[in-house]
Structures are given as C-alpha cells and as structure tokens.
Amino acid sequence: GTSRRVGAATMPTRRADALRGLFDDGDGDADAAAHARMRGRDRAAVLVPLAARADDGWDVTLTTRATSMRSHAGEIALPGGKRDARDACDAGTAAREAREEIGMRTPRDVEVVGRLPVVMSRHRVSVRPVVGVVREGFRVREEEISREEVAEVFTAPLEMFLSADRHRYDDWARPNGARPAVRVHYFEYEGRTIWGLTAMILIEVARRVYGREPEFAVAADDGVAVWDARCRDGEAAVIKSAL
C-alpha cells in the first residue's frame, strides 16, 4: 500500500533522551486526583508525536478530523480520544487512539518521553497530553488511517507555535460574561487553522523543547490561560498554573 513519510531522515536516540527531562513534571496532587476520578467519557488523552528533522528542529504529526465526526468535525487535532476501560493509564489511552486513528504504534513507531499536566477542554473533558518521539523512518500507511475518524494526516513545524507570524487570538469570555476571559490561539498553516486546546498544548510543548517564550502573550492581562482551567468533581474551576 501507499504510505506517507512522517519526520526526517535522522532521529538519534540522544535527542529523545534530551526531551525526556522536559516532560516529567506531571501535576500537583489535587490535579492528578481530580483527573483520576473522572469517568471514561470525561477523561481523555492525546499523543504529541514529535519527529526529529535533519536541521535539529522538530515536526509534530497532526490530523484533520473527518467531517462526519459528532464532535470537533473537520478540526485539526492531535491523535487521541476518550479513555477506554481497557486502558491501564493515560499513556495507554493515547497509544491506543494513535494506533486506531493513524496506525502509529507504541513503542514500535513512537517512544513516549513524558507528559504535560492535565488540561480541561471547553466541553469539560480532562485531557492528558502525552509526548512521544517518532522513530526514524516511520511512515503513515494510507490503509491504516481510520477514515471514519481522520480525513488527513500531516506534519507542521513545532517552532511555528512560538512565532507571531501566523498567529492570532481571541479572548473568550466565560458563558455568564464574567471575567477573566480565556485566550484562544489560532495558527494558520498551509490553508489549515490549528486552534484551541491543540494550539495551546503545542505552544507549551514548543516552549519546553526550544527553551524560549512565545513571541505573543499566552494569556490576556486580566485573563487566564487554558492551563488555568481545571476540573474539580465535574465543575470548572480557575486555578492559576505555574506554567
């Protein structure tokens, strides 16, 4: 069958090892406990698959969701989804979803190097980002893409999520109009718009990988970042993050 290359020609193990120490912080006790209490339909994980480039940069593998999907139809997303009873942990959820959606298998095709703190989606789903490094030579095979879920698989340069060049934002007020607002980020890339939770996760991943701050403000002066929105026993709470 046909296949699409993800990544570049080289992926030295030492580069995976270098990333491992950047994503080992997890959560505070309260956040981890709240996430663990979430039921399967309210708990999810996404995989952030990073592929090393020959120029020492990184690309991230993304998907365009099928227009037939009941939620987030046609949006750009990281491989991932809701927790299943079979999943032993969040990394297991992310790995299973990546395998089902695009045929990316852990650990054969991608090596997990860490995770980010949990973050709450606009639908009050507690989401764990799991970071992995794609192994050299991996290709997404067309016949392994789940067309019921995925319309397209592509890569984008990770450093783009620190640049103001293709970036814009909106400050979304909370449903009752109360402040503080949540800043929502948008990035334009080759005719696609990467926004919302996916964009925010990638901003934080890029910040850690490249060791520098974005060229734009992540949160409004009187607002909050996505990382500040937490879930406490099914209710939304704003708790300032250390990120």
Side-chain angles (χ1 to χ4, degrees):
T2 58
S3 62
R4 182 183 293 110
R5 181 68 175 268
V6 173
T10 60
M11 198 291 291
T13 301
R14 62 183 174 82
R15 296 192 67 184
D17 290 341
L19 292 193
R20 200 180 307 279
L22 302 178
F23 300 101
D24 59 357
D25 54 348
D27 312 287
D29 291 342
D31 293 320
H35 180 69
R37 287 194 299 269
M38 301 293 282
R39 293 172 294 176
R41 64 184 178 86
D42 297 322
R43 181 175 173 181
V46 296
L47 182 66
V48 185
L50 301 178
R53 299 197 308 262
D55 65 358
D56 290 335
W58 295 89
D59 288 337
V60 59
T61 301
L62 294 161
T63 69
T64 303
R65 290 172 63 85
T67 55
S68 59
M69 294 292 287
R70 286 181 297 177
S71 64
H72 307 288
E75 293 184 7
I76 307 301
L78 291 157
K82 300 289 183 65
R83 182 179 176 84
D84 188 281
R86 300 168 292 170
D87 301 332
C89 60
D90 293 321
T93 300
R96 176 183 53 76
E97 289 284 346
R99 182 182 70 251
E100 293 174 357
E101 290 180 10
I102 62 173
M104 181 180 282
R105 290 166 171 79
T106 304
R108 187 192 73 182
D109 304 322
V110 61
E111 178 184 356
V112 172
V113 296
R115 63 185 194 173
L116 290 176
V118 293
V119 61
M120 189 176 67
S121 78
R122 68 182 187 273
H123 299 299
R124 296 191 178 183
V125 175
S126 185
V127 180
R128 165 77 69 194
V130 176
V131 182
V133 171
V134 178
R135 296 193 182 277
E136 180 182 352
F138 171 74
R139 289 175 169 81
V140 174
R141 299 177 65 84
E142 295 289 343
E143 63 268 27
E144 294 199 52
I145 298 173
S146 172
R147 292 302 179 185
E148 294 181 354
E149 301 177 86
V150 176
E152 177 191 30
V153 182
F154 68 97
T155 62
L158 183 64
E159 64 269 24
M160 178 182 78
F161 298 97
L162 297 176
S163 172
D165 291 345
R166 301 169 178 169
H167 170 263
R168 60 186 172 88
Y169 68 86
D170 287 327
D171 287 339
W172 287 12
R174 294 159 76 184
N176 60 3
R179 305 294 284 182
V182 173
R183 177 156 294 182
V184 179
H185 299 270
Y186 303 79
F187 295 87
E188 303 299 329
Y189 180 68
E190 296 184 347
R192 309 174 185 93
T193 302
I194 304 164
W195 71 287
L197 191 64
T198 298
M200 195 67 199
I201 289 170
L202 293 176
I203 291 169
E204 180 59 21
V205 171
R207 187 180 75 85
R208 296 186 185 209
V209 169
Y210 289 104
R212 65 176 189 266
E213 295 301 314
E215 296 174 354
F216 47 83
V218 174
D221 291 340
D222 59 347
V224 299
V226 170
W227 301 103
D228 301 321
R230 315 292 178 84
C231 196
R232 289 290 185 271
D233 297 321
E235 296 297 323
V238 174
I239 302 170
K240 278 292 183 180
S241 168
L243 294 182

Coordinates of all heavy atoms in Angstrom, one line a residue, residues 27 31 35-36 54 72 85 91 98 105 120 131 154-155 157 165 183 189 195 211 232:
D27 N 1.5 16.6 37.5 CA 0.6 17.5 38.1 C 0.8 17.6 39.6 O 1.5 16.8 40.2 CB -0.9 17.0 37.9 CG -1.2 16.6 36.5 OD1 -1.3 17.4 35.6 OD2 -1.2 15.3 36.2
D31 N -4.7 18.0 41.2 CA -5.0 17.8 39.8 C -5.0 16.4 39.4 O -5.8 15.9 38.7 CB -4.0 18.6 38.9 CG -4.1 20.1 39.1 OD1 -5.3 20.6 39.2 OD2 -3.1 20.8 39.1
H35 N -8.2 14.3 38.1 CA -8.2 13.6 36.8 C -8.5 12.1 36.9 O -9.3 11.6 36.1 CB -6.8 13.8 36.1 CG -6.7 13.2 34.8 ND1 -7.3 13.7 33.7 CD2 -5.9 12.2 34.4 CE1 -7.0 12.9 32.6 NE2 -6.1 12.0 33.0
A36 N -7.9 11.5 37.9 CA -8.1 10.0 38.1 C -9.6 9.7 38.5 O -10.1 8.6 38.2 CB -7.2 9.5 39.2
A54 N 16.5 16.9 10.2 CA 17.9 16.9 10.0 C 18.5 18.2 10.4 O 19.7 18.3 10.7 CB 18.3 16.6 8.5
H72 N -16.1 18.1 17.1 CA -14.9 18.6 16.5 C -14.7 18.2 15.1 O -13.6 18.1 14.6 CB -13.7 18.2 17.3 CG -13.8 18.5 18.8 ND1 -13.7 19.7 19.3 CD2 -13.9 17.6 19.9 CE1 -13.8 19.7 20.7 NE2 -14.0 18.4 21.0
A85 N -12.1 1.4 29.0 CA -11.9 0.5 30.2 C -10.7 -0.4 30.1 O -10.1 -0.8 31.1 CB -13.1 -0.4 30.4
A91 N -1.1 7.2 29.1 CA -0.3 6.9 28.0 C -0.9 5.7 27.2 O -0.7 5.7 26.0 CB 1.1 6.5 28.5
A98 N -3.8 6.5 18.9 CA -2.9 6.8 17.8 C -2.9 5.6 16.9 O -2.8 5.7 15.7 CB -1.5 7.2 18.3
R105 N 2.1 3.0 16.3 CA 2.1 2.0 17.4 C 3.3 2.4 18.4 O 4.3 2.8 18.0 CB 2.3 0.6 16.9 CG 1.1 0.1 16.1 CD 1.4 -1.2 15.4 NE 0.2 -1.8 14.8 CZ -0.4 -1.4 13.8 NH1 0.0 -0.4 13.1 NH2 -1.5 -2.1 13.4
M120 N -8.3 21.1 30.9 CA -9.7 20.9 30.7 C -10.1 21.5 29.4 O -9.8 22.6 29.1 CB -10.5 21.5 31.8 CG -12.0 21.1 31.8 SD -12.9 21.7 33.2 CE -12.8 23.5 32.9
V131 N 3.6 13.1 25.5 CA 4.6 13.5 24.4 C 5.4 12.2 24.0 O 5.9 11.5 24.9 CB 5.5 14.6 25.0 CG1 6.5 15.0 23.9 CG2 4.7 15.8 25.4
F154 N -0.9 15.1 8.5 CA 0.1 16.0 8.0 C 1.0 16.3 9.2 O 0.8 16.0 10.4 CB -0.5 17.2 7.4 CG -1.2 18.1 8.4 CD1 -0.5 19.2 8.9 CD2 -2.5 17.9 8.8 CE1 -1.2 20.1 9.8 CE2 -3.2 18.7 9.7 CZ -2.5 19.8 10.2
T155 N 2.2 17.0 8.9 CA 3.1 17.5 9.9 C 3.2 19.0 9.8 O 3.0 19.6 8.7 CB 4.5 16.8 9.7 OG1 5.0 17.2 8.5 CG2 4.4 15.3 9.9
P157 N 5.8 22.3 11.5 CA 7.0 22.6 12.3 C 6.6 23.1 13.7 O 5.8 24.0 13.9 CB 7.7 23.7 11.5 CG 6.6 24.3 10.7 CD 5.6 23.3 10.4
D165 N 4.1 35.2 13.5 CA 3.9 35.3 12.1 C 2.6 34.8 11.6 O 1.9 35.5 10.8 CB 5.0 34.7 11.2 CG 6.4 35.4 11.4 OD1 6.3 36.5 11.9 OD2 7.4 34.8 11.0
R183 N -7.9 33.1 26.8 CA -7.3 33.5 25.5 C -7.2 32.2 24.6 O -6.6 31.2 25.0 CB -5.9 34.1 25.6 CG -5.2 34.4 24.3 CD -4.2 35.5 24.4 NE -4.9 36.8 24.7 CZ -4.2 38.0 24.8 NH1 -2.9 38.0 24.7 NH2 -4.9 39.1 25.1
Y189 N -1.7 27.5 8.8 CA -0.6 26.7 8.2 C -1.1 26.0 7.0 O -2.0 25.1 7.1 CB -0.1 25.7 9.3 CG 1.1 24.9 8.7 CD1 2.3 25.4 8.4 CD2 0.9 23.5 8.5 CE1 3.3 24.7 7.9 CE2 1.9 22.7 8.0 CZ 3.2 23.3 7.7 OH 4.2 22.6 7.2
W195 N -6.1 25.4 16.2 CA -6.6 26.4 17.2 C -7.0 25.6 18.5 O -7.0 24.4 18.6 CB -7.7 27.2 16.7 CG -9.0 26.5 16.5 CD1 -9.3 25.6 15.5 CD2 -10.2 26.6 17.3 NE1 -10.6 25.1 15.7 CE2 -11.1 25.7 16.8 CE3 -10.5 27.3 18.5 CZ2 -12.4 25.6 17.3 CZ3 -11.8 27.2 19.0 CH2 -12.7 26.3 18.4
G211 N 13.1 26.0 24.6 CA 13.7 26.8 25.7 C 13.5 28.3 25.6 O 14.4 29.0 26.0
R232 N -12.8 20.2 38.9 CA -12.9 19.7 40.3 C -14.3 19.0 40.5 O -15.3 19.7 40.6 CB -12.7 20.8 41.3 CG -11.3 21.4 41.3 CD -10.3 20.4 42.0 NE -9.0 20.9 42.1 CZ -8.1 20.8 41.2 NH1 -8.3 20.2 40.1 NH2 -6.9 21.3 41.4

